[in-house]
Amino acid sequence: TLTARLTKACPLNPRQKGFIQAAGCSENLQLLQSIIWSAKKEHRPLGVVFMNIAKAFDTVSHQHILHGLQKRGVDPHIISLVSNMYENIHTRIT
């Protein structure tokens, strides 16, 4: 599949939990709970930041993505498939 080929060419960081098939939300919540528990137990200060990156993908140009795939040595056929997904795309709200 396209996803498998892209994952092979561009491996994800193991901490990546968004936009993949994984139990990321529950795993992240358990990790956060563990960090908070440890800080309380050891009486250490702790700061937690939540970031909303919902619009992060709007800021990366399609050309930059395609260039990145080329630099990673992704098969030209796969790059062509990804490029075709970006052509003439529109959003319609009814």
Side-chain angles (χ1 to χ4, degrees), residues 26-91:
S26 62
E27 186 178 318
N28 284 344
L29 287 173
Q30 288 174 352
L31 177 61
L32 178 60
Q33 186 176 25
S34 174
I35 291 169
I36 292 170
W37 181 82
S38 178
K40 284 183 176 184
K41 180 181 174 187
E42 298 173 12
H43 303 288
R44 289 182 296 140
L46 175 67
V48 178
V49 176
F50 293 92
M51 296 174 50
N52 179 0
I53 58 169
K55 302 295 274 177
F57 296 99
D58 292 350
T59 61
V60 179
S61 76
H62 296 164
Q63 283 305 116
H64 186 73
I65 293 169
L66 296 173
H67 180 70
L69 293 174
Q70 289 172 343
K71 285 183 71 172
R72 291 289 234 165
V74 173
D75 183 292
H77 178 69
I78 300 298
I79 295 173
S80 177
L81 290 173
V82 173
S83 178
N84 288 339
M85 286 190 278
Y86 290 134
E87 287 182 20
N88 299 316
I89 51 175
H90 304 280
T91 301

